[in-house]
PDB file of all heavy atoms in Angstrom:
ATOM      1  N   ASP O1080      15.826  -2.086   6.138  1.00  0.00           N
ATOM      2  CA  ASP O1080      16.202  -1.116   7.148  1.00  0.00           C
ATOM      3  C   ASP O1080      14.939  -0.298   7.584  1.00  0.00           C
ATOM      4  O   ASP O1080      14.754   0.764   7.033  1.00  0.00           O
ATOM      5  CB  ASP O1080      17.267  -0.212   6.661  1.00  0.00           C
ATOM      6  CG  ASP O1080      17.985   0.692   7.746  1.00  0.00           C
ATOM      7  OD1 ASP O1080      17.279   0.881   8.740  1.00  0.00           O
ATOM      8  OD2 ASP O1080      19.025   1.220   7.493  1.00  0.00           O
ATOM      9  N   ARG O1081      14.170  -0.870   8.467  1.00  0.00           N
ATOM     10  CA  ARG O1081      12.933  -0.244   8.856  1.00  0.00           C
ATOM     11  C   ARG O1081      13.175   1.203   9.437  1.00  0.00           C
ATOM     12  O   ARG O1081      12.375   2.146   9.163  1.00  0.00           O
ATOM     13  CB  ARG O1081      12.103  -1.112   9.813  1.00  0.00           C
ATOM     14  CG  ARG O1081      10.856  -0.387  10.332  1.00  0.00           C
ATOM     15  CD  ARG O1081       9.889  -1.393  10.869  1.00  0.00           C
ATOM     16  NE  ARG O1081       8.736  -0.572  11.421  1.00  0.00           N
ATOM     17  CZ  ARG O1081       7.562  -1.195  11.735  1.00  0.00           C
ATOM     18  NH1 ARG O1081       7.413  -2.483  11.589  1.00  0.00           N
ATOM     19  NH2 ARG O1081       6.581  -0.452  12.239  1.00  0.00           N
ATOM     20  N   ALA O1082      14.131   1.238  10.270  1.00  0.00           N
ATOM     21  CA  ALA O1082      14.417   2.558  10.892  1.00  0.00           C
ATOM     22  C   ALA O1082      14.651   3.642   9.857  1.00  0.00           C
ATOM     23  O   ALA O1082      14.189   4.786   9.985  1.00  0.00           O
ATOM     24  CB  ALA O1082      15.663   2.467  11.860  1.00  0.00           C
ATOM     25  N   ASP O1083      15.428   3.329   8.837  1.00  0.00           N
ATOM     26  CA  ASP O1083      15.744   4.325   7.768  1.00  0.00           C
ATOM     27  C   ASP O1083      14.506   4.614   6.986  1.00  0.00           C
ATOM     28  O   ASP O1083      14.192   5.806   6.612  1.00  0.00           O
ATOM     29  CB  ASP O1083      16.832   3.779   6.835  1.00  0.00           C
ATOM     30  CG  ASP O1083      17.244   4.792   5.801  1.00  0.00           C
ATOM     31  OD1 ASP O1083      17.663   5.915   6.147  1.00  0.00           O
ATOM     32  OD2 ASP O1083      17.136   4.461   4.593  1.00  0.00           O
ATOM     33  N   PHE O1084      13.652   3.576   6.754  1.00  0.00           N
ATOM     34  CA  PHE O1084      12.418   3.726   5.985  1.00  0.00           C
ATOM     35  C   PHE O1084      11.403   4.705   6.763  1.00  0.00           C
ATOM     36  O   PHE O1084      10.786   5.561   6.173  1.00  0.00           O
ATOM     37  CB  PHE O1084      11.730   2.370   5.801  1.00  0.00           C
ATOM     38  CG  PHE O1084      10.553   2.394   4.881  1.00  0.00           C
ATOM     39  CD1 PHE O1084      10.761   2.279   3.486  1.00  0.00           C
ATOM     40  CD2 PHE O1084       9.229   2.470   5.347  1.00  0.00           C
ATOM     41  CE1 PHE O1084       9.662   2.270   2.618  1.00  0.00           C
ATOM     42  CE2 PHE O1084       8.151   2.486   4.443  1.00  0.00           C
ATOM     43  CZ  PHE O1084       8.381   2.375   3.090  1.00  0.00           C
ATOM     44  N   GLU O1085      11.470   4.592   8.085  1.00  0.00           N
ATOM     45  CA  GLU O1085      10.594   5.464   8.931  1.00  0.00           C
ATOM     46  C   GLU O1085      11.089   6.920   8.862  1.00  0.00           C
ATOM     47  O   GLU O1085      10.256   7.824   8.810  1.00  0.00           O
ATOM     48  CB  GLU O1085      10.611   4.970  10.361  1.00  0.00           C
ATOM     49  CG  GLU O1085       9.826   3.658  10.560  1.00  0.00           C
ATOM     50  CD  GLU O1085       9.844   3.135  11.992  1.00  0.00           C
ATOM     51  OE1 GLU O1085      10.498   3.818  12.855  1.00  0.00           O
ATOM     52  OE2 GLU O1085       9.192   2.143  12.304  1.00  0.00           O
ATOM     53  N   LYS O1086      12.425   7.050   8.767  1.00  0.00           N
ATOM     54  CA  LYS O1086      12.969   8.473   8.614  1.00  0.00           C
ATOM     55  C   LYS O1086      12.540   9.051   7.355  1.00  0.00           C
ATOM     56  O   LYS O1086      12.298  10.284   7.261  1.00  0.00           O
ATOM     57  CB  LYS O1086      14.523   8.373   8.704  1.00  0.00           C
ATOM     58  CG  LYS O1086      15.086   8.227  10.109  1.00  0.00           C
ATOM     59  CD  LYS O1086      16.619   8.157  10.039  1.00  0.00           C
ATOM     60  CE  LYS O1086      17.187   7.731  11.380  1.00  0.00           C
ATOM     61  NZ  LYS O1086      18.666   7.549  11.236  1.00  0.00           N
ATOM     62  N   LYS O1087      12.396   8.298   6.249  1.00  0.00           N
ATOM     63  CA  LYS O1087      12.106   8.777   4.982  1.00  0.00           C
ATOM     64  C   LYS O1087      10.563   8.904   4.748  1.00  0.00           C
ATOM     65  O   LYS O1087      10.168   9.447   3.715  1.00  0.00           O
ATOM     66  CB  LYS O1087      12.637   7.875   3.878  1.00  0.00           C
ATOM     67  CG  LYS O1087      14.204   7.928   3.835  1.00  0.00           C
ATOM     68  CD  LYS O1087      14.733   6.860   2.823  1.00  0.00           C
ATOM     69  CE  LYS O1087      16.255   7.060   2.721  1.00  0.00           C
ATOM     70  NZ  LYS O1087      16.806   5.926   1.931  1.00  0.00           N
ATOM     71  N   TRP O1088       9.752   8.424   5.735  1.00  0.00           N
ATOM     72  CA  TRP O1088       8.365   8.296   5.499  1.00  0.00           C
ATOM     73  C   TRP O1088       7.697   9.597   5.082  1.00  0.00           C
ATOM     74  O   TRP O1088       6.915   9.671   4.156  1.00  0.00           O
ATOM     75  CB  TRP O1088       7.605   7.727   6.735  1.00  0.00           C
ATOM     76  CG  TRP O1088       6.196   7.659   6.552  1.00  0.00           C
ATOM     77  CD1 TRP O1088       5.245   8.443   7.085  1.00  0.00           C
ATOM     78  CD2 TRP O1088       5.434   6.731   5.617  1.00  0.00           C
ATOM     79  NE1 TRP O1088       3.923   8.072   6.656  1.00  0.00           N
ATOM     80  CE2 TRP O1088       4.093   7.037   5.724  1.00  0.00           C
ATOM     81  CE3 TRP O1088       5.861   5.714   4.808  1.00  0.00           C
ATOM     82  CZ2 TRP O1088       3.103   6.382   5.040  1.00  0.00           C
ATOM     83  CZ3 TRP O1088       4.923   5.048   4.122  1.00  0.00           C
ATOM     84  CH2 TRP O1088       3.537   5.331   4.204  1.00  0.00           C
ATOM     85  N   ASN O1089       8.011  10.697   5.781  1.00  0.00           N
ATOM     86  CA  ASN O1089       7.393  11.957   5.441  1.00  0.00           C
ATOM     87  C   ASN O1089       7.707  12.433   4.050  1.00  0.00           C
ATOM     88  O   ASN O1089       6.924  13.252   3.471  1.00  0.00           O
ATOM     89  CB  ASN O1089       7.767  13.028   6.450  1.00  0.00           C
ATOM     90  CG  ASN O1089       6.918  12.902   7.743  1.00  0.00           C
ATOM     91  OD1 ASN O1089       5.804  12.369   7.732  1.00  0.00           O
ATOM     92  ND2 ASN O1089       7.522  13.358   8.841  1.00  0.00           N
ATOM     93  N   ASP O1090       8.841  12.050   3.488  1.00  0.00           N
ATOM     94  CA  ASP O1090       9.220  12.446   2.166  1.00  0.00           C
ATOM     95  C   ASP O1090       8.612  11.583   1.076  1.00  0.00           C
ATOM     96  O   ASP O1090       8.560  11.996  -0.141  1.00  0.00           O
ATOM     97  CB  ASP O1090      10.728  12.388   1.984  1.00  0.00           C
ATOM     98  CG  ASP O1090      11.432  13.443   2.838  1.00  0.00           C
ATOM     99  OD1 ASP O1090      11.002  14.585   2.775  1.00  0.00           O
ATOM    100  OD2 ASP O1090      12.408  13.114   3.589  1.00  0.00           O
ATOM    101  N   ILE O1091       8.121  10.401   1.361  1.00  0.00           N
ATOM    102  CA  ILE O1091       7.575   9.498   0.347  1.00  0.00           C
ATOM    103  C   ILE O1091       6.137   9.150   0.567  1.00  0.00           C
ATOM    104  O   ILE O1091       5.481   8.544  -0.334  1.00  0.00           O
ATOM    105  CB  ILE O1091       8.423   8.195   0.307  1.00  0.00           C
ATOM    106  CG1 ILE O1091       8.286   7.400   1.643  1.00  0.00           C
ATOM    107  CG2 ILE O1091       9.834   8.451  -0.067  1.00  0.00           C
ATOM    108  CD1 ILE O1091       8.995   6.021   1.685  1.00  0.00           C
ATOM    109  N   LYS O1092       5.513   9.527   1.729  1.00  0.00           N
ATOM    110  CA  LYS O1092       4.192   9.033   2.032  1.00  0.00           C
ATOM    111  C   LYS O1092       3.153   9.478   0.992  1.00  0.00           C
ATOM    112  O   LYS O1092       2.229   8.794   0.775  1.00  0.00           O
ATOM    113  CB  LYS O1092       3.816   9.544   3.463  1.00  0.00           C
ATOM    114  CG  LYS O1092       3.648  11.027   3.574  1.00  0.00           C
ATOM    115  CD  LYS O1092       3.337  11.404   5.052  1.00  0.00           C
ATOM    116  CE  LYS O1092       3.224  12.917   5.219  1.00  0.00           C
ATOM    117  NZ  LYS O1092       3.040  13.281   6.588  1.00  0.00           N
ATOM    118  N   ILE O1093       3.306  10.722   0.423  1.00  0.00           N
ATOM    119  CA  ILE O1093       2.299  11.191  -0.508  1.00  0.00           C
ATOM    120  C   ILE O1093       2.103  10.345  -1.670  1.00  0.00           C
ATOM    121  O   ILE O1093       1.034  10.070  -2.185  1.00  0.00           O
ATOM    122  CB  ILE O1093       2.595  12.671  -0.899  1.00  0.00           C
ATOM    123  CG1 ILE O1093       1.358  13.354  -1.528  1.00  0.00           C
ATOM    124  CG2 ILE O1093       3.780  12.800  -1.751  1.00  0.00           C
ATOM    125  CD1 ILE O1093       0.313  13.660  -0.504  1.00  0.00           C
ATOM    126  N   VAL O1094       3.288   9.752  -2.167  1.00  0.00           N
ATOM    127  CA  VAL O1094       3.185   8.796  -3.274  1.00  0.00           C
ATOM    128  C   VAL O1094       2.547   7.507  -2.941  1.00  0.00           C
ATOM    129  O   VAL O1094       1.654   6.957  -3.607  1.00  0.00           O
ATOM    130  CB  VAL O1094       4.619   8.536  -3.801  1.00  0.00           C
ATOM    131  CG1 VAL O1094       4.565   7.429  -4.939  1.00  0.00           C
ATOM    132  CG2 VAL O1094       5.204   9.829  -4.404  1.00  0.00           C
ATOM    133  N   ILE O1095       2.948   6.978  -1.734  1.00  0.00           N
ATOM    134  CA  ILE O1095       2.423   5.725  -1.276  1.00  0.00           C
ATOM    135  C   ILE O1095       0.870   5.848  -0.971  1.00  0.00           C
ATOM    136  O   ILE O1095       0.059   4.994  -1.399  1.00  0.00           O
ATOM    137  CB  ILE O1095       3.171   5.207  -0.091  1.00  0.00           C
ATOM    138  CG1 ILE O1095       4.605   4.906  -0.457  1.00  0.00           C
ATOM    139  CG2 ILE O1095       2.490   3.961   0.510  1.00  0.00           C
ATOM    140  CD1 ILE O1095       5.538   4.585   0.754  1.00  0.00           C
ATOM    141  N   GLU O1096       0.533   6.941  -0.314  1.00  0.00           N
ATOM    142  CA  GLU O1096      -0.936   7.040   0.037  1.00  0.00           C
ATOM    143  C   GLU O1096      -1.783   7.293  -1.194  1.00  0.00           C
ATOM    144  O   GLU O1096      -2.877   6.754  -1.280  1.00  0.00           O
ATOM    145  CB  GLU O1096      -1.038   8.205   1.019  1.00  0.00           C
ATOM    146  CG  GLU O1096      -0.531   7.954   2.344  1.00  0.00           C
ATOM    147  CD  GLU O1096      -0.424   9.166   3.357  1.00  0.00           C
ATOM    148  OE1 GLU O1096      -0.737  10.237   2.869  1.00  0.00           O
ATOM    149  OE2 GLU O1096      -0.126   8.892   4.539  1.00  0.00           O
ATOM    150  N   TYR O1097      -1.226   8.062  -2.172  1.00  0.00           N
ATOM    151  CA  TYR O1097      -2.001   8.215  -3.417  1.00  0.00           C
ATOM    152  C   TYR O1097      -2.078   6.973  -4.208  1.00  0.00           C
ATOM    153  O   TYR O1097      -3.095   6.647  -4.770  1.00  0.00           O
ATOM    154  CB  TYR O1097      -1.237   9.349  -4.260  1.00  0.00           C
ATOM    155  CG  TYR O1097      -2.025   9.909  -5.414  1.00  0.00           C
ATOM    156  CD1 TYR O1097      -3.349   9.676  -5.574  1.00  0.00           C
ATOM    157  CD2 TYR O1097      -1.345  10.546  -6.372  1.00  0.00           C
ATOM    158  CE1 TYR O1097      -4.083  10.158  -6.656  1.00  0.00           C
ATOM    159  CE2 TYR O1097      -2.071  11.092  -7.522  1.00  0.00           C
ATOM    160  CZ  TYR O1097      -3.375  10.819  -7.626  1.00  0.00           C
ATOM    161  OH  TYR O1097      -4.063  11.305  -8.722  1.00  0.00           O
ATOM    162  N   GLY O1098      -1.015   6.132  -4.205  1.00  0.00           N
ATOM    163  CA  GLY O1098      -1.079   4.872  -4.827  1.00  0.00           C
ATOM    164  C   GLY O1098      -2.037   3.892  -4.199  1.00  0.00           C
ATOM    165  O   GLY O1098      -2.811   3.187  -4.895  1.00  0.00           O
ATOM    166  N   MET O1099      -2.088   3.940  -2.829  1.00  0.00           N
ATOM    167  CA  MET O1099      -3.041   3.148  -2.196  1.00  0.00           C
ATOM    168  C   MET O1099      -4.590   3.471  -2.539  1.00  0.00           C
ATOM    169  O   MET O1099      -5.463   2.638  -2.647  1.00  0.00           O
ATOM    170  CB  MET O1099      -2.868   3.192  -0.624  1.00  0.00           C
ATOM    171  CG  MET O1099      -1.606   2.554  -0.161  1.00  0.00           C
ATOM    172  SD  MET O1099      -1.293   2.884   1.616  1.00  0.00           S
ATOM    173  CE  MET O1099      -2.641   2.052   2.370  1.00  0.00           C
ATOM    174  N   LEU O1100      -4.728   4.757  -2.670  1.00  0.00           N
ATOM    175  CA  LEU O1100      -6.074   5.279  -3.035  1.00  0.00           C
ATOM    176  C   LEU O1100      -6.421   5.029  -4.493  1.00  0.00           C
ATOM    177  O   LEU O1100      -7.639   4.630  -4.722  1.00  0.00           O
ATOM    178  CB  LEU O1100      -6.073   6.832  -2.811  1.00  0.00           C
ATOM    179  CG  LEU O1100      -7.337   7.540  -3.071  1.00  0.00           C
ATOM    180  CD1 LEU O1100      -8.437   7.066  -2.144  1.00  0.00           C
ATOM    181  CD2 LEU O1100      -7.174   9.067  -2.905  1.00  0.00           C
ATOM    182  N   SER O1101      -5.489   5.024  -5.401  1.00  0.00           N
ATOM    183  CA  SER O1101      -5.890   4.984  -6.763  1.00  0.00           C
ATOM    184  C   SER O1101      -5.648   3.675  -7.524  1.00  0.00           C
ATOM    185  O   SER O1101      -6.215   3.375  -8.559  1.00  0.00           O
ATOM    186  CB  SER O1101      -5.046   6.072  -7.555  1.00  0.00           C
ATOM    187  OG  SER O1101      -3.666   5.855  -7.435  1.00  0.00           O
ATOM    188  N   GLU O1102      -4.798   2.789  -6.890  1.00  0.00           N
ATOM    189  CA  GLU O1102      -4.477   1.475  -7.556  1.00  0.00           C
ATOM    190  C   GLU O1102      -4.759   0.344  -6.556  1.00  0.00           C
ATOM    191  O   GLU O1102      -4.056   0.231  -5.576  1.00  0.00           O
ATOM    192  CB  GLU O1102      -3.038   1.427  -7.942  1.00  0.00           C
ATOM    193  CG  GLU O1102      -2.681   2.496  -8.973  1.00  0.00           C
ATOM    194  CD  GLU O1102      -2.954   2.060 -10.399  1.00  0.00           C
ATOM    195  OE1 GLU O1102      -3.048   0.883 -10.610  1.00  0.00           O
ATOM    196  OE2 GLU O1102      -3.094   2.906 -11.271  1.00  0.00           O
ATOM    197  N   ASP O1103      -5.798  -0.466  -6.806  1.00  0.00           N
ATOM    198  CA  ASP O1103      -6.104  -1.544  -5.902  1.00  0.00           C
ATOM    199  C   ASP O1103      -4.997  -2.549  -5.669  1.00  0.00           C
ATOM    200  O   ASP O1103      -4.798  -3.006  -4.524  1.00  0.00           O
ATOM    201  CB  ASP O1103      -7.339  -2.309  -6.399  1.00  0.00           C
ATOM    202  CG  ASP O1103      -8.627  -1.472  -6.278  1.00  0.00           C
ATOM    203  OD1 ASP O1103      -8.664  -0.562  -5.522  1.00  0.00           O
ATOM    204  OD2 ASP O1103      -9.573  -1.722  -7.060  1.00  0.00           O
ATOM    205  N   LYS O1104      -4.258  -2.883  -6.702  1.00  0.00           N
ATOM    206  CA  LYS O1104      -3.158  -3.828  -6.500  1.00  0.00           C
ATOM    207  C   LYS O1104      -2.024  -3.232  -5.676  1.00  0.00           C
ATOM    208  O   LYS O1104      -1.440  -3.954  -4.851  1.00  0.00           O
ATOM    209  CB  LYS O1104      -2.590  -4.276  -7.881  1.00  0.00           C
ATOM    210  CG  LYS O1104      -3.511  -5.173  -8.663  1.00  0.00           C
ATOM    211  CD  LYS O1104      -2.939  -5.648  -9.987  1.00  0.00           C
ATOM    212  CE  LYS O1104      -3.885  -6.589 -10.675  1.00  0.00           C
ATOM    213  NZ  LYS O1104      -3.351  -6.974 -12.009  1.00  0.00           N
ATOM    214  N   PHE O1105      -1.780  -1.973  -5.807  1.00  0.00           N
ATOM    215  CA  PHE O1105      -0.821  -1.322  -5.002  1.00  0.00           C
ATOM    216  C   PHE O1105      -1.326  -1.253  -3.552  1.00  0.00           C
ATOM    217  O   PHE O1105      -0.511  -1.382  -2.600  1.00  0.00           O
ATOM    218  CB  PHE O1105      -0.497   0.094  -5.518  1.00  0.00           C
ATOM    219  CG  PHE O1105       0.635   0.762  -4.802  1.00  0.00           C
ATOM    220  CD1 PHE O1105       2.005   0.514  -5.137  1.00  0.00           C
ATOM    221  CD2 PHE O1105       0.463   1.633  -3.795  1.00  0.00           C
ATOM    222  CE1 PHE O1105       3.025   1.118  -4.466  1.00  0.00           C
ATOM    223  CE2 PHE O1105       1.504   2.275  -3.103  1.00  0.00           C
ATOM    224  CZ  PHE O1105       2.841   2.009  -3.497  1.00  0.00           C
ATOM    225  N   PHE O1106      -2.577  -0.996  -3.391  1.00  0.00           N
ATOM    226  CA  PHE O1106      -3.192  -0.950  -2.031  1.00  0.00           C
ATOM    227  C   PHE O1106      -2.862  -2.277  -1.297  1.00  0.00           C
ATOM    228  O   PHE O1106      -2.488  -2.295  -0.131  1.00  0.00           O
ATOM    229  CB  PHE O1106      -4.665  -0.735  -2.098  1.00  0.00           C
ATOM    230  CG  PHE O1106      -5.375  -0.632  -0.774  1.00  0.00           C
ATOM    231  CD1 PHE O1106      -5.523   0.530  -0.100  1.00  0.00           C
ATOM    232  CD2 PHE O1106      -5.887  -1.850  -0.197  1.00  0.00           C
ATOM    233  CE1 PHE O1106      -6.187   0.615   1.151  1.00  0.00           C
ATOM    234  CE2 PHE O1106      -6.525  -1.766   1.066  1.00  0.00           C
ATOM    235  CZ  PHE O1106      -6.656  -0.575   1.726  1.00  0.00           C
ATOM    236  N   GLU O1107      -3.092  -3.417  -2.016  1.00  0.00           N
ATOM    237  CA  GLU O1107      -2.840  -4.744  -1.420  1.00  0.00           C
ATOM    238  C   GLU O1107      -1.373  -4.878  -1.019  1.00  0.00           C
ATOM    239  O   GLU O1107      -1.079  -5.296   0.148  1.00  0.00           O
ATOM    240  CB  GLU O1107      -3.251  -5.832  -2.382  1.00  0.00           C
ATOM    241  CG  GLU O1107      -4.726  -5.882  -2.613  1.00  0.00           C
ATOM    242  CD  GLU O1107      -5.097  -6.834  -3.748  1.00  0.00           C
ATOM    243  OE1 GLU O1107      -4.226  -7.731  -4.060  1.00  0.00           O
ATOM    244  OE2 GLU O1107      -6.150  -6.748  -4.364  1.00  0.00           O
ATOM    245  N   LYS O1108      -0.516  -4.545  -1.957  1.00  0.00           N
ATOM    246  CA  LYS O1108       0.952  -4.733  -1.615  1.00  0.00           C
ATOM    247  C   LYS O1108       1.463  -3.722  -0.539  1.00  0.00           C
ATOM    248  O   LYS O1108       2.304  -4.087   0.247  1.00  0.00           O
ATOM    249  CB  LYS O1108       1.758  -4.434  -2.921  1.00  0.00           C
ATOM    250  CG  LYS O1108       1.667  -5.575  -3.950  1.00  0.00           C
ATOM    251  CD  LYS O1108       2.476  -5.332  -5.157  1.00  0.00           C
ATOM    252  CE  LYS O1108       2.458  -6.549  -6.126  1.00  0.00           C
ATOM    253  NZ  LYS O1108       3.247  -7.642  -5.592  1.00  0.00           N
TER     254      LYS O1108
END
């Protein structure tokens, strides 16, 4: 459900962005 994921983005982005920054494997995924 991409539309729902987009609605939640502002609430979860800090975790995802921090993960991309700190974990190379997570960055790839």
Side-chain angles (χ1 to χ4, degrees):
D1080 190 341
R1081 175 162 177 167
D1083 185 58
F1084 192 82
E1085 289 178 359
K1086 283 180 190 173
K1087 291 174 177 171
W1088 179 252
N1089 280 335
D1090 292 311
I1091 63 176
K1092 66 183 177 185
I1093 194 74
V1094 174
I1095 295 172
E1096 290 172 351
Y1097 191 15
M1099 291 171 67
L1100 180 63
S1101 58
E1102 298 276 338
D1103 288 340
K1104 287 183 179 177
F1105 188 82
F1106 181 90
E1107 292 171 21
K1108 288 180 173 289

